[in-house]
Amino acid sequence: QGCTQKYIVKNYFYYYLFKFSAALGEEIFYITFLPFTYWNIDHSVSRRMIIVWSIVMYIGQVSKDILKWPRPLSPPVVKLEMRANAEYGMPSTHAMAATAISFSFFIATTNQYKYPFELGLVAAFVFSTLVCLSRLYTGMHTVLDVIGGALISAVLLMLLYPAWDTIDHLLLTSPFCPLFSMAVPLVLCYNYPKLDYYSPTRGDTTTILGAAAGATVGFWLNNQYAAPAYTSESFQPGFPLVTSTMVFVLARFFVGILVVLLTRWVMKIVVLGALGYRYKFPIRDLEARRRLEVEVPYKFVTYSSVGFTATVIVPLLHELLGLM
């Protein structure tokens, strides 16, 4: 299970293309692209993407552990990734995330900015297709897993689209938003479907819901005390190449990512240390960190802090440094 297969790469173009495309459906992409849109493109677009992404990913992760469809057999398939091998296959959450993020970005921007409709549609299609094909190339999913994931994500996006303005308005203005945004994801994480063996799906789901919860509280706080989302034009910066120089765009991005990564590092140490003291285990004990009472609060508190920092602390720092 934990041993990698030996293989020979015959086409390095496809190898690096699909390895890179696979990374577009993982944490490193979420933690860079989603904050980038918030800091440099448009707050409303970012909010809608995060709402859709968190809902789609939760349903996808839970579906894996309910359906329990196995991944492709290896051999004959050569698997280029091992971390996700303990997860079930159907549906492909990479395919779901890629479809949700690319098409929610396209839909949210097409009515706000002037650019060729066909260009945006093709870009969304190419992005999601590359990620889907990467799951076949790396041996992690069957064709049915990928098609199922993309179709489920498309259906969820169509169901959410008519309501996402209403959802966005409620999350920005309701006095119950902070409580709702934190309590509901926590309940979902603690009541995640139980498996006979450990799988990273519960931890990954907690990471996603935690980040979305922290970001949502940040959206609400900004709207209440910083700049109302529906009244301030300066609150939505617009596309960076039109209204700002690339120097400011890159400065905002690198300053923001540095603060976000620092927050994640510090919170991991603090939360794990507190939980280790509470439950009497060394913080390097991997088995202890997989227990429900440890994994859920550890990941949820860490990544809700990341989401809050990205939406509240980083914009304040940008303003302080004169980068807005």
Side-chain angles (χ1 to χ4, degrees), residues 112-127:
Q112 297 191 43
Y113 301 101
K114 293 181 179 180
Y115 64 88
F117 177 87
E118 295 78 8
L119 178 63
L121 183 62
V122 169
F125 180 78
V126 169
F127 178 90

Side-chain angles (χ1 to χ4, degrees), residues 42-58:
D42 193 300
H43 289 184
S44 65
V45 171
S46 181
R47 291 196 305 271
R48 285 158 174 76
M49 289 173 62
I50 290 174
I51 291 169
V52 171
W53 168 67
S54 58
I55 294 174
V56 164
M57 288 299 289
Y58 174 76

Side-chain angles (χ1 to χ4, degrees), residues 182-193:
M182 301 301 287
V184 171
L186 266 176
V187 170
L188 293 175
C189 292
Y190 273 109
N191 290 277
Y192 194 82

Side-chain angles (χ1 to χ4, degrees), residues 37 39-43 112-113 233-244 249 252:
T37 61
W39 300 330
N40 289 303
I41 298 179
D42 193 300
H43 289 184
Q112 297 191 43
Y113 301 101
E233 294 182 1
S234 63
F235 195 65
Q236 300 181 354
F239 277 109
L241 292 179
V242 175
T243 61
S244 178
V249 170
R252 283 195 292 266

Side-chain angles (χ1 to χ4, degrees), residues 41-309:
I41 298 179
D42 193 300
H43 289 184
S44 65
V45 171
S46 181
R47 291 196 305 271
R48 285 158 174 76
M49 289 173 62
I50 290 174
I51 291 169
V52 171
W53 168 67
S54 58
I55 294 174
V56 164
M57 288 299 289
Y58 174 76
I59 292 174
Q61 295 285 69
V62 169
S63 298
K64 281 179 184 284
D65 292 338
I66 292 176
L67 293 174
K68 298 183 179 180
W69 287 21
R71 289 185 182 271
L73 292 177
S74 177
V77 169
V78 177
K79 294 185 177 179
L80 305 187
E81 299 175 13
M82 297 309 299
R83 178 190 175 276
N85 199 34
E87 298 179 10
Y88 289 106
M90 178 68 170
S92 167
T93 46
H94 273 70
M96 293 183 72
T99 302
I101 288 177
S102 58
F103 281 94
S104 61
F105 180 81
F106 166 62
I107 294 170
T109 57
T110 189
N111 293 325
Q112 297 191 43
Y113 301 101
K114 293 181 179 180
Y115 64 88
F117 177 87
E118 295 78 8
L119 178 63
L121 183 62
V122 169
F125 180 78
V126 169
F127 178 90
S128 55
T129 300
L130 282 175
V131 176
C132 290
L133 291 176
S134 75
R135 307 316 289 158
L136 303 178
Y137 183 89
T138 55
M140 301 311 296
H141 286 286
T142 65
V143 174
L144 187 59
D145 294 342
V146 169
I147 293 175
L151 288 178
I152 293 170
S153 186
V155 170
L156 289 172
L157 187 56
M158 287 190 292
L159 293 175
L160 288 169
Y161 174 68
W164 71 359
D165 286 338
T166 302
I167 295 172
D168 185 50
H169 178 75
L170 288 174
L171 292 179
L172 287 174
T173 59
S174 173
F176 302 105
C177 172
L179 177 61
F180 179 86
S181 298
M182 301 301 287
V184 171
L186 266 176
V187 170
L188 293 175
C189 292
Y190 273 109
N191 290 277
Y192 194 82
K194 292 180 175 60
L195 297 177
D196 296 331
Y197 63 93
Y198 178 78
S199 167
T201 49
R202 184 182 64 201
D204 292 344
T205 303
T206 306
T207 294
I208 292 166
L209 294 185
T216 302
V217 172
F219 298 150
W220 180 86
L221 197 64
N222 284 336
N223 190 62
Q224 299 297 314
Y225 300 104
Y230 290 102
T231 60
S232 174
E233 294 182 1
S234 63
F235 195 65
Q236 300 181 354
F239 277 109
L241 292 179
V242 175
T243 61
S244 178
T245 65
M246 286 302 298
V247 173
F248 277 90
V249 170
L250 293 175
R252 283 195 292 266
F253 176 70
F254 285 115
V255 167
I257 287 298
L258 180 63
V259 173
V260 164
L261 294 178
L262 181 62
T263 300
R264 185 178 67 163
W265 177 68
V266 170
M267 291 306 297
K268 278 186 173 183
I269 294 174
V270 171
V271 177
L272 265 182
L275 290 170
Y277 177 80
R278 169 65 178 83
Y279 293 107
K280 304 296 186 291
F281 68 87
I283 62 174
R284 296 186 182 276
D285 186 344
L286 184 59
E287 288 302 316
R289 288 163 58 173
R290 290 175 170 179
R291 286 154 42 189
L292 174 68
E293 65 271 22
V294 174
E295 184 177 57
V296 170
Y298 159 52
K299 297 229 178 232
F300 192 86
V301 173
T302 298
Y303 284 92
S304 61
S305 301
V306 167
F308 184 83
T309 297

